[in-house]
Amino acid sequence: MAFADNLQQLPSIDHLAELRLMDAQGQVAAVIPNQPGKAGSLRLYAALAAKHGSLNAAAAQEGLELFAEHTESARQHPGSHPNIDRLFKIIATGQGYTVELVAA
């Protein structure tokens, strides 16, 4: 399935303002706002965190599958899809993130 189709299967994020990724030291490593161009990644990351409890290697692998056609594009053009690049890094290093959801 395509990324857009996969998104339709995930829970709504209308209640969220943003998602924060916290590193092992409890510091904010990244923020994904609920805004056009970012909402798909926010929706996918929130669903992965709900299912897996954090963004760990298993969540990252599932995320790459759900990003569908964008995953191959990210492989071919590093830096063009930072939220996918982050999943590659989680798998490569084994260092994931805890997730903090911020209500709208």
Side-chain angles (χ1 to χ4, degrees):
M1 290 193 345
F3 179 59
D5 296 326
N6 291 336
L7 280 182
Q8 296 306 312
Q9 306 302 313
L10 302 176
S12 171
I13 55 164
D14 292 343
H15 63 289
L16 297 176
E18 66 186 25
L19 177 147
R20 296 179 186 157
L21 298 176
M22 313 301 284
D23 65 19
Q25 291 73 42
Q27 300 297 309
V28 176
V31 175
I32 304 174
N34 190 354
Q35 65 185 37
K38 304 288 182 189
S41 291
L42 171 60
R43 190 170 184 175
L44 190 144
Y45 272 41
L48 292 172
K51 180 176 179 181
H52 294 274
S54 67
L55 280 183
N56 55 30
Q61 185 59 50
E62 183 176 348
L64 292 177
E65 294 167 14
L66 292 171
F67 269 117
E69 70 275 8
H70 298 297
T71 298
E72 188 55 35
S73 175
R75 267 195 220 340
Q76 294 177 12
H77 308 288
S80 64
H81 299 278
N83 292 319
I84 299 174
D85 293 341
R86 185 176 296 112
L87 299 179
F88 288 134
K89 184 176 179 184
I90 291 169
I91 292 168
T93 66
Q95 296 178 5
Y97 301 92
T98 57
V99 175
E100 181 179 305
L101 302 175
V102 179

